[in-house]
Amino acid sequence: QVQLVESGGGLVQAGGSLRLSCTASASTYKINIAHWYRQGPGKQRELVATISSGGSANYADSMKDRFTISRDNTKNTVYLQMISLKPEDTAAYYCNADLWDPRGRLTNYWGQGTQVTVSS
């Protein structure tokens, strides 16, 4: 069964940067629209950013100055570049995307999440 696979999380000091990646486990499943969400300790999951199939991006107001969502369709991968990280950015980050299957059907998938921890 195809999965969304995230990577790139880790421990970073405040002010540092990380780049998260999200790709489909099967290359025949193509990412359409994709989102990054995050869920901090004791908090609800929140939308961070969205990117369309054509590359148009939208962001949560509180993150648009520091986070950049992008995609490389040749690699079937979506990225989230995060700079000037703050301790309050500590969260599990999840990729959510609609995938085209080889039969042309569109299905929504969630990744398993990647942990980002920002130390002060």
Side-chain angles (χ1 to χ4, degrees), residues 99-119:
L99 300 183
W100 290 107
D101 72 14
R103 296 186 177 183
R105 297 170 298 189
L106 202 58
T107 305
N108 187 260
Y109 292 86
W110 284 91
Q112 81 286 353
T114 186
Q115 180 66 37
V116 171
T117 302
V118 185
S119 63

Side-chain angles (χ1 to χ4, degrees), residues 30-76:
K30 304 301 182 183
I31 295 175
N32 188 32
I33 190 170
H35 317 270
W36 284 99
Y37 286 80
R38 71 181 186 183
Q39 187 166 16
K43 298 181 180 180
Q44 290 188 329
R45 191 171 295 190
E46 62 177 340
L47 179 64
V48 174
T50 297
I51 190 164
S52 71
S53 57
S56 296
N58 287 285
Y59 301 90
D61 286 343
S62 61
M63 290 169 251
K64 60 185 176 183
D65 292 334
R66 300 183 295 117
F67 292 4
T68 302
I69 190 170
S70 63
R71 64 191 297 154
D72 184 340
N73 290 335
T74 66
K75 297 181 179 179
N76 200 31

